[in-house]
Amino acid sequence: METRVAVIGIIVEKAESVESLNAILHEYGNYIIGRMGVPYRTKGINVISVAIDAPGDIISALAGKVGNLPGVSAKTAYSNVITSE
């Protein structure tokens, strides 16, 4: 199985989606290298970056689920680092 390293950038504009977002990230926890969240209080949003090493379909599924949450947007940047496990 080939895995790829990627970063998913997430912006949360609706606080009521945070619990669902955390549940989704927990579901994919085995693939997550690390995450960093920064609250931007003056704008009332949260900016999160998630580093992940997973098969392409897993990365797409995670980004899709996150992006479908109300008030949440997600974009993925893929590296050229592909490894076989």
Side-chain angles (χ1 to χ4, degrees):
M1 171 176 48
E2 289 187 338
T3 66
R4 197 162 184 188
V5 176
V7 175
I8 303 172
I10 303 167
I11 297 180
V12 181
E13 297 175 351
K14 293 192 180 235
E16 51 272 12
S17 292
V18 171
E19 188 175 334
S20 298
L21 171 61
N22 284 328
I24 292 169
L25 294 176
H26 179 74
E27 179 183 342
Y28 289 87
N30 290 340
Y31 301 104
I32 294 175
I33 301 166
R35 74 186 243 194
M36 177 182 65
V38 181
Y40 192 179
R41 289 183 182 89
T42 57
K43 300 286 184 179
I45 63 173
N46 293 294
V47 180
I48 303 167
S49 62
V50 178
I52 187 168
D53 185 0
D57 59 335
I58 298 291
I59 296 169
S60 295
L62 171 56
K65 287 181 181 180
V66 168
N68 281 328
L69 292 172
V72 179
S73 58
K75 297 292 180 188
T76 307
Y78 292 90
S79 77
N80 291 321
V81 177
I82 301 172
T83 55
S84 296
E85 288 190 14

